Amino acid sequence: MKRVALIDLGSNSVRFVISEITESGSYRLVYQQKESIRLSEGMWTNQMLTKSAMDRAIKTMKALAHMAKAMEVTEVYGIATAAVRLANNGDEFIHRVYTETGISLRAINGEEEAYLGYLGVVNTIGLDDFIVFDLGGASIEISLIQNRELKKSVSLPMGALVMTGQFQSGQEFTPEEYHSMISHIQHVLHRESWLRNAKLPLIGIGGTARNIAKMDQREKNYPIPRLHNYKVKKASIEELFTKIKETPRGERKKISGLSSERADIIVAGMAIIVELMEFTKASAMIVSGCGLREGLFFQYYGQHYLKNQGMIDDIVTHSTLNILRAFTPHDVEHAQYISGLADILRKQWKSIMPKGDRLKIVLKVAALLHDLGKQINYYSHARHSAYMIINSNIYGLSHREQLISAFVAAFSHGVNSKFLKQSPYLSILKDGDRDIINKLSFPLALAEAFDESHERTIRSIQSHIGEKRIDVYVEVQALSHVSMMDLAIEKLKKQCKKEFRRELVVHWKLG
């Protein structure tokens, strides 16, 4: 097992994460810290990092170096972005960081910054074609992704901190200053003709994007606090922006979801995003909680564990198996076996199962993680499995799909409808989702019954769907295993009658 620390020193803040990687290759975040240091503050008149800004950064980096040592980190990788690479004394600052903290920083160019942001998104959000932007304090990196490949990227020298410092002279923007900033943003964007009217999903990385999502979630009383893969419609962003602009700077800190340390630069940050949405004709912004740091991790992980540059082909399966290996490394084969049986049954029962191309993936996640809750308490593990699935980093699923997977896993263990009715997440589900959960959980429950002893004895399954009954012909390695399976299946017959209005009959055959 090893622990790897990653440091992202930006223009506005520094982010520090420690990930633990086990011998099986599973990984998990074990620590993170974010500090606002305003490294680029005051540097734009002469392109020099100020002494006070560098002192703030050094003080924070010393604390991070101590934390890395205390948590027994084996490797530390640090990168610095726009402020350091654009400052005339950037190299001097990097040398000072190493001398005073022992941390080796590397200033990356805009192209690499955009690439790492792309890696962080493409490996955690299940889209093939999109535009991704990473808005920081001093710059914005924008990339065009087609068929999951990075086709074009640009780093533009406008960020929330820079625009505020360049155009705002007092505590608030005057109308003239605001219009001057908007004109500048539009002028910079219009040079990038490849972005005009792209009409692709727009994915946002960075503190401003996350704050927009937080404010929107608070406005809507959204029950899941997770920001990653959360979609905010353009109209909602514009409403929030109007509210922000009309609220005096001193009062903005009271706006629910808005970080107090971002209240003074949020106007400029949101202005950039709103203009980018207008320029690309995006109808919404999908917020990514994963960006440069995650991209840096995937790059490291790919080189050391996947023998590639950090690209993951099937992000849903990869992230689900990562969770499974982290919590129940000894049950991976059983979980994969159950998942395979459940998918066979889903296909054979297609005529009476709910329709939807994505339901195969939803069932797969539920099947792989159905026993996760046993790590907390065996007797109520169905509920705990649901909670852990809902709150795990399963990438490539929407929030709604992840909820359905969680409830499918719980219902496959016999959790009653009261559990769903009392759930705080009901507002996210759509009409008909309850029927999907009830029906999709049955192939998983039957698959579990077929491997009650965890011996993996099933050779083949064939189903015949009739008008009044479902006949399932099962070939097993030994008939001695059937008695345990029969006991488990007997408990499911009432549920089958209720959900599918058919009698379940299982026929055993020695193979």
Side-chain angles (χ1 to χ4, degrees):
M1 184 182 73
K2 66 168 67 172
R3 287 186 168 182
V4 179
L6 304 174
I7 299 173
D8 168 17
L9 183 62
S11 306
N12 185 51
S13 60
V14 58
R15 291 180 176 272
F16 174 72
V17 296
I18 299 176
S19 293
E20 186 175 85
I21 307 175
T22 68
E23 292 181 0
S24 69
S26 68
Y27 53 87
R28 65 190 182 103
L29 182 69
V30 295
Y31 182 81
Q32 75 165 357
Q33 186 174 347
K34 171 185 173 288
E35 296 293 337
S36 177
I37 56 172
R38 298 285 172 96
L39 183 59
S40 67
E41 192 171 62
M43 70 169 278
W44 304 110
T45 54
N46 57 7
Q47 293 294 108
M48 297 283 285
L49 297 173
T50 66
K51 183 179 184 303
S52 58
M54 289 191 289
D55 288 344
R56 287 195 300 269
I58 294 292
K59 181 180 179 181
T60 299
M61 296 292 278
K62 285 180 179 178
L64 300 185
H66 175 79
M67 183 58 70
K69 183 178 180 180
M71 296 198 70
E72 300 179 336
V73 166
T74 51
E75 299 173 56
V76 179
Y77 295 90
I79 56 173
T81 55
V84 175
R85 72 168 173 259
L86 295 174
N88 293 327
N89 58 344
D91 290 341
E92 175 188 329
F93 170 72
I94 287 176
H95 178 72
R96 184 182 166 192
V97 169
Y98 181 74
T99 301
E100 297 188 33
T101 72
I103 294 174
S104 179
L105 275 181
R106 179 171 62 90
I108 60 174
N109 59 35
E111 185 178 76
E112 185 175 358
E113 187 172 355
Y115 178 76
L116 291 174
Y118 148 74
L119 268 188
V121 171
V122 79
N123 285 324
T124 60
I125 288 186
L127 292 175
D128 294 335
D129 305 293
F130 55 91
I131 290 171
V132 59
F133 71 85
D134 187 349
L135 176 60
S139 67
I140 180 171
E141 284 66 47
I142 309 174
S143 302
L144 172 65
I145 315 301
Q146 293 177 330
N147 196 27
R148 298 192 78 220
E149 293 183 2
L150 178 60
K151 294 297 184 180
K152 189 176 180 64
S153 65
V154 65
S155 179
L156 304 175
M158 55 181 188
L161 201 58
V162 171
M163 292 293 96
T164 303
Q166 187 173 337
F167 290 95
Q168 181 180 305
S169 58
Q171 290 291 304
E172 307 282 354
F173 277 99
T174 66
E176 293 77 16
E177 289 172 342
Y178 177 77
H179 289 303
S180 294
M181 178 178 68
I182 296 299
S183 295
H184 176 76
I185 294 170
Q186 291 173 346
H187 175 73
V188 173
L189 288 176
H190 277 67
R191 293 201 298 258
E192 310 302 327
S193 58
W194 54 280
L195 288 170
R196 187 191 303 273
N197 300 330
K199 294 181 180 178
L200 287 171
L202 185 67
I203 298 176
I205 305 172
T208 301
R210 288 192 298 271
N211 268 238
I212 290 172
K214 287 180 183 178
M215 289 187 288
D216 191 64
Q217 287 183 345
R218 301 289 174 82
E219 288 262 339
K220 294 176 170 56
N221 291 317
Y222 194 72
I224 298 178
R226 187 186 310 119
L227 300 177
H228 186 72
N229 215 6
Y230 180 77
K231 181 184 286 188
V232 193
K233 293 181 179 179
K234 184 183 179 185
S236 297
I237 294 176
E238 289 173 339
E239 288 178 12
L240 284 170
F241 192 31
T242 298
K243 180 180 178 179
I244 289 289
K245 287 188 294 182
E246 292 177 350
T247 304
R249 175 175 168 178
E251 298 293 315
R252 279 184 212 140
K253 296 179 181 180
K254 299 178 182 179
I255 296 176
S256 183
L258 176 61
S259 170
S260 60
E261 64 189 33
R262 196 168 293 274
D264 59 334
I265 59 173
I266 190 66
V267 172
M270 290 190 73
I272 295 169
I273 292 175
V274 169
E275 291 303 320
L276 179 61
M277 294 186 77
E278 181 61 32
F279 190 62
T280 61
K281 299 304 178 191
S283 60
M285 175 182 69
I286 300 170
V287 179
S288 175
C290 298
L292 189 150
R293 289 170 307 287
E294 288 75 18
L296 187 61
F297 174 81
F298 282 122
Q299 186 179 66
Y300 172 89
Y301 188 82
Q303 292 170 350
H304 291 80
Y305 294 88
L306 302 177
K307 307 305 178 186
N308 64 26
Q309 293 303 307
M311 277 290 294
I312 295 167
D313 294 328
D314 183 348
I315 64 176
V316 177
T317 301
H318 174 85
S319 58
T320 304
L321 286 176
N322 180 61
I323 295 164
L324 186 63
R325 292 189 180 106
F327 286 101
T328 57
H330 304 298
D331 284 343
V332 174
E333 288 187 4
H334 168 70
Q336 291 177 313
Y337 183 72
I338 292 295
S339 178
L341 293 181
D343 190 53
I344 289 171
L345 290 165
R346 181 194 62 83
K347 290 176 182 176
Q348 294 180 0
W349 293 32
K350 184 178 179 180
S351 62
I352 58 173
M353 293 298 293
K355 303 298 184 287
D357 295 337
R358 298 280 296 176
L359 294 184
K360 174 183 178 180
I361 300 171
V362 168
L363 177 59
K364 183 177 185 178
V365 171
L368 287 173
L369 302 180
H370 71 278
D371 277 341
L372 206 60
K374 289 181 179 178
Q375 302 307 302
I376 299 175
N377 186 308
Y378 177 87
Y379 292 104
S380 56
H381 73 269
R383 296 169 182 268
H384 293 308
S385 291
Y387 177 83
M388 293 175 76
I389 292 171
I390 290 169
N391 290 279
S392 291
N393 288 327
I394 301 170
Y395 297 129
L397 293 184
S398 68
H399 289 191
R400 170 179 162 264
E401 289 171 334
Q402 197 162 334
L403 280 176
I404 293 174
S405 285
F407 287 126
V408 166
F411 274 56
S412 73
H413 283 292
V415 167
N416 58 39
S417 59
K418 187 178 180 181
F419 176 67
L420 182 59
K421 290 177 182 177
Q422 294 178 339
S423 169
Y425 310 114
L426 282 180
S427 61
I428 297 176
L429 298 179
K430 297 180 179 179
D431 292 340
D433 283 353
R434 187 169 177 175
D435 185 60
I436 290 174
I437 292 165
N438 288 335
K439 286 186 168 60
L440 202 61
S441 66
F442 196 82
L444 176 53
L446 190 54
E448 291 181 76
F450 284 152
D451 196 38
E452 183 73 11
S453 65
H454 290 219
E455 293 177 284
R456 302 191 290 278
T457 63
I458 305 298
R459 289 190 180 276
S460 68
I461 299 174
Q462 294 294 329
S463 302
H464 174 73
I465 311 298
E467 291 187 4
K468 294 185 177 181
R469 58 187 268 177
I470 301 171
D471 290 281
V472 184
Y473 301 87
V474 185
E475 185 178 346
V476 295
Q477 292 178 8
L479 291 175
S480 58
H481 300 142
V482 168
S483 58
M484 281 295 294
M485 298 181 197
D486 269 334
L487 289 174
I489 291 167
E490 193 64 32
K491 299 174 183 178
L492 298 177
K493 290 185 176 181
K494 184 178 179 181
Q495 182 184 348
C496 185
K497 192 76 173 178
K498 177 183 177 182
E499 295 301 332
F500 302 103
R501 295 189 175 91
R502 291 167 173 86
E503 180 185 359
L504 176 64
V505 181
V506 177
H507 308 269
W508 302 104
K509 178 183 176 182
L510 181 63

